[in-house]
Amino acid sequence: MAVAVYPRNLAEALRILEIQSPLVLAGGTDLMVKRAGTYPDECPVMYIGNLPELRQISRQGEELRVGAACTFTELLASPLLPDYLRVPLAQIASPAIRNAATIGGNLCNASPAADALPMLYALDAHFILVSAAGECRMPVRDFFLGPGKTMLAAGQLLAEIRIPIREGWRCIYRKVGMRRANSLSKLSFYALSDCAGGRLQDIRIAFGAVAPTVVRSREAEMKILSGLPVEEIILMYNGLIKPIDDARSSSRYRREACIRLLKQYLQS
Ligand SMILES: Cc1cc2nc3c(=O)[nH]c(=O)nc-3n(C[C@H](O)[C@H](O)[C@H](O)COP(=O)(O)OP(=O)(O)OC[C@H]3O[C@@H](n4cnc5c(N)ncnc54)[C@H](O)[C@@H]3O)c2cc1C
């Protein structure tokens, strides 16, 4: 039977991580549904869900700082959360799951279908990774290597997500799933725009679950801004997405739905 450890603060957690290499547990909503045998029984489990350093939400200058152990319910209740983060996060799972599930768990689990991912790519967020040796800051696009694979090294925790504040920017988030609630995306589409002064000033587009990691292209976004015809933009994205067949959907459906959502958005 696994031993459970409950560090009281981040420094203690990092010491335990260095010495015992435990399995890190936050909300447990991804870990608890893994197949039996995924982790060795003798591996200790370290609960990080109540570490005070990982539970803060604050604004520092032009950045929102979100502790990795904040649950989605806590995030959605924060007056600091802008709508362009609130819209996708409100579509995650159900209230019961959101009460336990943390943003850090969503990111470290690295599912291509994770709902917190496209918005963070679109916003050029950064992650703060900590270990007993110190901390480092990493752009979100460098952190994810593929399904279930990240740059998180042994002995490291994701401590904080730093998200640039974009006053007045608007988003849409379309999540295509089996049901409206409590289901993972077959694919997702996040678009963020700055229309200050009634003119399109900037645009960010990110797709989830149509490639091993989120698909975003600054080159394609710049072409949209330069007024390239919609059909040519669609051709560009068609080349960028690489959907697969799996239990949730077929690659063909994913590609068609993705392109339809993009076309609707560009023509709106
Ligand atoms: C019924 C159901 C519905 C769901 N619906 C959705 C949905 O709609 N959208 C969606 O995106 N997800 C969904 N999920 C998946 C899951 O709820 C989320 O991914 C959740 O955010 C995971 O967070 P957690 O705190 O529970 O992670 P945990 O299960 O505790 O951990 C997940 C992984 O991350 C690691 N980890 C956690 N925190 C850290 C940290 N700070 N540093 C380093 N490693 C860490 C753990 O070791 C583990 O490998 C659903 C799950 C269920 C069971």
Side-chain angles (χ1 to χ4, degrees):
M1 193 171 10
V3 173
V5 281
Y6 297 86
R8 282 160 300 180
N9 53 50
L10 184 58
E12 204 175 301
L14 295 176
R15 267 199 309 279
I16 295 169
L17 204 57
E18 194 180 28
I19 297 163
Q20 299 184 31
S21 305
L23 180 61
V24 170
L25 178 97
T29 61
D30 273 321
L31 273 185
M32 300 289 215
V33 294
K34 297 258 189 251
R35 279 174 206 279
T38 305
Y39 302 103
D41 278 352
E42 62 277 11
C43 183
V45 176
M46 178 171 79
Y47 178 61
I48 60 158
N50 58 3
L51 295 179
E53 297 89 340
L54 305 192
R55 297 183 55 85
Q56 322 274 338
I57 305 171
S58 65
R59 181 175 175 163
Q60 308 258 321
E62 290 312 299
E63 255 184 0
L64 186 68
R65 298 184 172 192
V66 174
C70 291
T71 66
F72 292 121
T73 299
E74 287 163 345
L75 277 164
L76 289 166
S78 168
L80 295 176
L81 202 76
D83 275 354
Y84 53 74
L85 301 179
R86 190 176 300 279
V87 167
L89 297 188
Q91 295 182 44
I92 292 184
S94 59
I97 296 286
R98 290 198 295 267
N99 286 342
T102 65
I103 186 162
N106 194 256
L107 303 172
C108 292
N109 191 54
S111 161
D115 285 302
L117 275 175
M119 63 181 201
L120 296 180
Y121 270 77
L123 284 153
D124 292 323
H126 283 75
F127 292 165
I128 304 298
L129 309 179
V130 290
S131 71
E135 70 170 51
C136 70
R137 183 178 164 122
M138 186 177 285
V140 61
R141 63 177 178 277
D142 293 347
F143 182 76
F144 295 98
L145 303 175
K149 294 200 178 75
T150 69
M151 287 293 287
L152 203 67
Q156 262 182 341
L157 283 179
L158 170 61
E160 211 173 75
I161 300 106
R162 304 239 173 122
I163 309 166
I165 291 171
R166 303 284 179 197
E167 303 286 1
W169 287 40
R170 315 272 301 257
C171 87
I172 69 151
Y173 186 59
R174 298 280 179 264
K175 170 174 172 166
V176 181
M178 292 283 277
R179 302 180 296 267
R180 272 185 152 263
N182 241 355
S183 98
L184 277 172
S185 309
K186 290 171 190 264
L187 68 116
S188 59
F189 171 75
Y190 181 82
L192 186 67
S193 60
D194 174 18
C195 291
R199 224 182 116 250
L200 182 64
Q201 311 279 352
D202 203 347
I203 192 161
R204 315 280 176 89
I205 287 178
F207 293 96
V210 288
T213 56
V214 167
V215 172
R216 181 178 167 212
S217 160
R218 192 61 186 149
E219 193 193 336
E221 291 163 1
M222 295 307 286
K223 299 266 184 200
I224 299 173
L225 288 171
S226 73
L228 197 73
V230 169
E231 294 310 324
E232 289 183 46
I233 303 290
I234 284 170
L235 272 181
M236 283 187 85
Y237 279 100
N238 225 333
L240 291 170
I241 60 175
K242 310 261 179 261
I244 55 159
D245 293 312
D246 67 11
R248 277 201 293 279
S249 191
S250 68
S251 60
R252 188 169 158 204
Y253 175 83
R254 285 187 161 115
R255 182 175 292 280
E256 283 178 10
C258 205
I259 295 303
R260 206 168 49 240
L261 287 170
L262 176 65
K263 196 168 180 177
Q264 272 170 10
Y265 178 73
L266 293 175
Q267 290 176 336
S268 65

